[in-house]
Amino acid sequence: MVIARSGSKRWISAADTAATKLGLRVGMPAAKAQALVQGLVMIDADTAADLAALERLALWALSQYSPVVAMDPPDGIVMDTEGADHLQGGEDLMLSGLVNRFRGRGLAARAAIADTWGAAHALARTTDRETVIVGRGDAARAANRLPLSSLRLPAETVQSLRTLGFTTVGDLAATPRAPLTLRFGLEVGRRLDQMFGHIAEPIDPIRPAELVEVQKSFAEPIGAPETIEKYVSRLVRQLCLELEKRGLGVRRADLIVHRVDNTIQALRAGTAKPVRDIAWLTKLFRDRIERIEPGFGIEKLGLAAILAEPLIEAQSASSLIEEQVTDVTPLIDVLGNRGGQRIFRVAPVASDVPERSVRRIAPIADEDGATWPLNWPRPPRLLARPELIEVIALLPDHPPVSFTWRSKRRRVKRADGPERIFGEWWKRSSEWVAVRDYFVVEDDRGERFWIFRSGDGVDAETGSHKWFMHGMFA
Amino acid sequence: MSAAVATLNPVLHELRGKIASLEGAGSRNRSILPFGVPEVDAQLPGGGLAFGALHEVAGGGNGAIDGAAAALFIGGIAARTTGKVVWCLTRFDLFFPALAQVGLHPDRVIFVECDKEETVLASFEEALRYGGLGAVVAELVRLPMTASRRLQLAAEKSGTLGLVIRRWRRQTEASDFGMPTAAATRWRISVLPSEPLPVPGVGRARWLAELMRVRAGEGGEFIIGACDGQGRICLSSETANGPDQAGRSFAIGRKAAGGHRQERFEAMDFGS
């Protein structure tokens, strides 16, 4: 529990879960808390250190998630992830990944995505869920239910509004604006408009000191795609020169578009390996220039190497005899930056359970030559979930005589098996004695399937003795 | 015959020569991927699957939905190429150990799992254009003529082997396979009862491979043994009896003596 002071007042500025369980709340006077709970551990708040930590977090988020990141003191970070979420596999995955990363470090975090800074700010602080995603255009509906305190207004204003009978943002939005402005000033209306997206609230992105960044301001705003493309390729050339001076290659590059209406749009391109190749970087951005909405015009373009790594120039193989191995990383980058797709390789896992024996790895992960043991036949198509089938079979270890799958009855002509697969008790205790008996069966038309019986056919402890379809052979 | 043409129309002959030299430039060494089965290769112009072209494969019968045989057939072809393989699809239900069993190493295959079919087409084209890859595979429901033409051009330009697995969500959609595309060859792979063994059990899988369409060539039907993955290079086994007429007369196979590596599938013709 952390105590903050302002003048002679002492109040709680942060409380951990244990404290919250005891009924302590942020904003409660410290004396009251002491009266409620005995033996309370109190630490003086260190605002400066908090702010410094927040800035470190923001810089980290800048390199990981989005080109436009700013601190939202005292306890938040705001990001504009539009045009960057695809690098993390979409909004859903990005948000859950973010929260999980925090949790891995022992930090609790809540995250929200919404159309406006105001709505995201409020949602992240008011809901109980760890991640909230509000769809495009739904911000207004979501915001209506939020309490007044989430409107980023001074505490006194919120208190007076409460006294007047307002409880939610929706209440306030439904009231005529003029009397409110007369009584409380412009701030209330401005915050409401920001939350509902009626006025823009640009995020002023933070920039680390050593960032490699090039910019170009225009005397006349530009808007035509060809013009943008021309300047982007110029910026790329400049950036590559800068990087070359420092011996760096770029892993993540951001194109930041400042428009005349004071909004910022950003495009982020990621590469699988450090690059300093002008043509390649230009291509990564050129594919998506059409996504830039120039609006009334663009007054400034910035290109920043948000994540740069040392790049060592290596001589490419020039031998005439040796077969040249094509480097596929440029292709992976082009596909990966397009969005709407996941790129991966698969690698074996030492597990007998079929659905656990394959894992996805990064497309440029080291090639270790590992593959699966090839002694038992495996079907090329595996059902995501084994499907229950009805079977006539002789217990304990005979293959089925016939089975019914997807309401079609098939007579088994030939069969191989059983291949017994044991449960992995070190993963789940319920698999202690679990067994699956797999059979390869072929029906009279020649279709081959991979079916299994849960259990060994004798002992009911080992499984339900139900039969399942798991895959199709060729 | 070409000499006769040369005397008849020297201009045409010269143009043809020019085109041939243009097409052959750079890709002379690796313009064809033979199956290593004389009967099948004889049906294909140049003696094998052409690099720098699009090839379509679908499953027959019930296999049109799951496309298991088609995937394994394609996997075997891709395994015999060199270089990386890019595999674009929308739903990832491949079980890779099976592909490893036909000799395709997991290190070689980069999967692109797309949200939409259009993204599959776009990624497929991008990968075909890229060049230097062993093969590019796409699992597609629909392949319109215009799209296939673009893909064919992309493949021609880079000399990459483009392989399309046609799979449908339901059986009725399979009629889409009747529509023409710009692909150089079109195959249908149906499952047949496996090779009989002297003991109970499932023998080596057999397929009916129908070469339904081939540019500048005639189609055919072959009964083939499924891809064999004992060696790094997977050779489809010998065909049963060349073009199989209406008979569907299954040849009786007999395993040749020898190690796993030379597992060959020999057959006798009972048909006419």
Side-chain angles (χ1 to χ4, degrees):
Chain A
M1 206 187 74
V2 179
I3 299 297
R5 289 162 200 273
S6 68
S8 60
K9 261 192 266 175
R10 298 198 313 145
W11 41 278
I12 301 177
S13 68
D16 64 3
T17 19
T20 322
K21 259 185 205 155
L22 290 169
L24 304 182
R25 294 277 174 273
V26 173
M28 190 184 265
K32 187 175 172 189
Q34 267 173 323
L36 279 171
V37 184
Q38 251 184 351
L40 201 61
V41 182
M42 290 188 175
I43 309 160
D44 280 338
D46 186 350
T47 344
D50 280 354
L51 215 58
L54 192 64
E55 189 176 356
R56 278 206 307 279
L57 271 180
L59 287 175
W60 168 78
L62 180 73
S63 69
Q64 294 291 319
Y65 289 103
S66 160
V68 184
V69 177
M71 290 192 288
D72 190 6
D75 57 353
I77 292 173
V78 59
M79 300 188 241
D80 182 357
T81 58
E82 195 175 346
D85 54 57
H86 63 91
L87 292 178
Q88 310 278 345
E91 292 188 338
D92 247 333
L93 281 175
M94 178 178 67
L95 220 51
S96 49
L98 175 77
V99 171
N100 284 340
R101 275 176 153 184
F102 271 99
R103 195 186 294 132
R105 292 290 181 83
L107 296 167
R110 274 196 239 140
I113 292 180
D115 284 347
T116 61
W117 180 352
H121 172 100
L123 283 166
R125 283 164 181 76
T126 50
T127 52
D128 297 328
R129 300 218 319 259
E130 273 187 329
T131 61
V132 183
I133 295 174
V134 178
R136 204 163 281 270
D138 288 345
R141 212 154 41 81
N144 274 334
R145 291 193 302 272
L146 294 170
L148 278 186
S149 54
S150 61
L151 211 49
R152 291 181 290 166
L153 286 170
E156 308 91 76
T157 318
V158 174
Q159 197 53 50
S160 334
L161 283 168
R162 279 222 188 92
T163 325
L164 290 174
F166 295 108
T167 49
T168 65
V169 174
D171 292 346
L172 205 58
T175 335
R177 189 66 62 82
L180 276 181
T181 313
L182 204 59
R183 168 72 180 77
F184 296 104
L186 286 167
E187 189 68 3
V188 178
R190 195 167 67 86
R191 288 298 191 198
L192 277 175
D193 283 344
Q194 282 176 349
M195 179 170 272
F196 290 107
H198 298 315
I199 56 171
E201 187 179 8
I203 298 169
D204 185 22
I206 54 161
R207 285 280 171 257
E210 73 280 13
L211 185 75
V212 186
E213 188 172 20
V214 287
Q215 286 184 333
K216 170 81 188 157
S217 302
F218 306 105
E220 280 290 311
I222 60 163
E226 309 85 66
T227 328
I228 301 175
E229 199 178 314
K230 187 175 81 190
Y231 283 110
V232 167
S233 55
R234 276 189 203 172
L235 283 174
V236 167
R237 206 165 304 142
Q238 273 183 35
L239 186 76
C240 287
L241 281 176
E242 281 295 313
L243 288 168
E244 202 170 345
K245 276 184 210 155
R246 304 178 200 205
L248 294 171
V250 67
R251 283 288 312 277
R252 258 179 211 162
D254 290 337
L255 178 68
I256 297 171
V257 182
H258 298 261
R259 299 198 299 201
V260 282
D261 56 357
N262 203 15
T263 53
I264 291 178
Q265 210 185 350
L267 286 183
R268 165 164 283 193
T271 61
K273 284 200 301 201
V275 227
R276 206 162 57 212
D277 186 328
I278 296 171
W280 176 0
L281 274 172
T282 315
K283 182 168 167 47
L284 290 187
F285 282 113
R286 196 172 47 217
D287 286 353
R288 295 188 302 150
I289 279 176
E290 62 203 41
R291 285 208 206 156
I292 297 176
E293 294 155 19
F296 296 112
I298 296 164
E299 57 178 13
K300 196 164 101 178
L301 277 176
L303 187 67
I306 234 65
L307 205 64
E309 283 175 9
L311 175 69
I312 298 126
E313 300 272 3
Q315 193 181 354
S316 63
S318 60
S319 164
L320 293 170
I321 314 142
E322 223 173 286
E323 197 168 333
Q324 204 175 341
V325 181
T326 315
D327 184 16
V328 286
T329 37
L331 175 68
I332 293 169
D333 289 341
V334 169
L335 294 175
N337 282 303
R338 194 177 278 154
Q341 51 203 352
R342 289 153 296 283
I343 301 168
F344 57 91
R345 282 207 331 252
V346 294
V349 178
S351 170
D352 285 337
V353 181
E355 54 267 42
R356 288 183 198 151
S357 64
V358 180
R359 75 191 158 101
R360 295 183 177 193
I361 56 172
I364 56 150
D366 288 337
E367 298 179 9
D368 53 4
T371 182
W372 291 265
L374 304 173
N375 37 8
W376 287 90
R378 291 286 179 259
R381 301 281 183 195
L382 197 71
L383 294 171
R385 216 168 273 279
E387 290 174 22
L388 194 67
I389 51 174
E390 275 170 39
V391 160
I392 299 172
L394 205 62
L395 291 178
D397 54 4
H398 285 270
V401 179
S402 73
F403 64 93
T404 310
W405 176 54
R406 291 186 179 167
S407 65
K408 191 173 170 193
R409 194 178 142 89
R410 296 162 197 272
R411 276 164 45 97
V412 175
K413 201 74 176 280
R414 296 175 186 139
D416 262 341
E419 176 194 355
R420 180 155 294 179
I421 287 171
F422 292 93
E424 296 177 328
W425 48 266
W426 58 92
K427 289 222 170 85
R428 265 190 279 165
S429 58
S430 61
E431 289 180 31
W432 181 254
V433 289
V435 160
R436 278 183 193 173
D437 279 347
Y438 275 92
F439 290 89
V440 180
V441 294
E442 183 179 304
D443 73 1
D444 39 16
R445 293 183 49 206
E447 290 183 54
R448 287 167 282 271
F449 301 97
W450 209 35
I451 65 175
F452 71 86
R453 180 188 56 216
S454 155
D456 64 359
V458 183
D459 191 354
E461 286 247 308
T462 55
S464 61
H465 289 189
K466 282 186 177 141
W467 289 79
F468 297 89
M469 171 68 63
H470 205 175
M472 278 76 76
F473 278 98
Chain B
M1 180 169 163
S2 62
V5 172
T7 48
L8 276 174
N9 197 339
V11 183
L12 202 64
H13 181 72
E14 197 189 315
L15 276 174
R16 275 196 185 135
K18 261 186 192 168
I19 290 168
S21 69
L22 281 173
E23 277 180 342
S27 59
R28 195 162 302 210
N29 298 334
R30 38 171 297 178
S31 57
I32 290 293
L33 180 74
F35 278 99
V37 182
E39 286 83 348
V40 180
D41 288 337
Q43 296 288 342
L44 297 163
L49 286 179
F51 280 99
L54 208 60
H55 304 277
E56 266 186 280
V57 181
N62 290 329
I65 309 260
D66 56 61
L72 217 53
F73 183 67
I74 293 263
I77 294 170
R80 286 182 289 121
T81 61
T82 49
K84 294 277 184 190
V85 174
V86 173
W87 197 302
C88 315
L89 33 66
T90 46
R91 50 180 171 154
F92 187 78
D93 61 352
L94 272 176
F95 192 47
F96 206 90
L99 291 176
Q101 284 176 343
V102 297
L104 190 58
H105 199 275
D107 283 347
R108 286 184 55 204
V109 186
I110 295 158
F111 286 103
V112 182
E113 188 187 33
C114 305
D115 295 343
K116 282 183 292 189
E117 179 123 344
E118 293 87 76
T119 331
V120 176
L121 277 175
S123 310
F124 187 38
E125 191 183 329
E126 189 76 50
L128 279 177
R129 231 174 255 292
Y130 186 71
L133 299 170
V136 186
V137 186
E139 293 185 15
L140 288 168
V141 176
R142 226 169 286 284
L143 183 62
M145 188 63 185
T146 30
S148 71
R149 213 175 268 148
R150 277 184 70 104
L151 295 168
Q152 171 68 30
L153 284 174
E156 266 170 30
K157 214 169 169 188
S158 66
T160 311
L161 185 65
L163 302 166
V164 181
I165 302 176
R166 303 291 303 272
R167 13 183 345 203
W168 294 272
R169 287 172 297 253
R170 52 196 86 77
Q171 198 71 46
T172 47
E173 283 180 330
S175 61
D176 193 48
F177 203 42
M179 306 301 266
T181 63
T185 64
R186 174 182 279 185
W187 298 80
R188 184 157 67 192
I189 309 293
S190 327
V191 290
L192 291 177
S194 62
E195 178 191 340
L197 295 175
V199 289
V202 183
R204 181 174 180 174
R206 284 195 303 186
W207 294 332
L208 174 67
E210 294 165 86
L211 179 56
M212 299 168 73
R213 204 194 95 100
V214 48
R215 199 194 290 157
E218 266 183 61
E221 287 183 15
F222 318 96
I223 293 177
I224 56 174
C227 290
D228 146 19
Q230 299 297 326
R232 286 294 99 193
I233 296 165
C234 166
L235 280 169
S236 311
S237 67
E238 306 298 310
T239 113
N241 51 355
D244 177 50
Q245 302 301 325
R248 297 276 190 278
S249 54
F250 304 135
I252 291 176
R254 150 176 82 79
K255 255 189 201 162
H260 287 298
R261 264 175 198 286
Q262 289 181 335
E263 196 185 26
R264 283 275 160 97
F265 179 81
E266 289 185 3
M268 286 169 281
D269 191 0
F270 280 152
S272 60

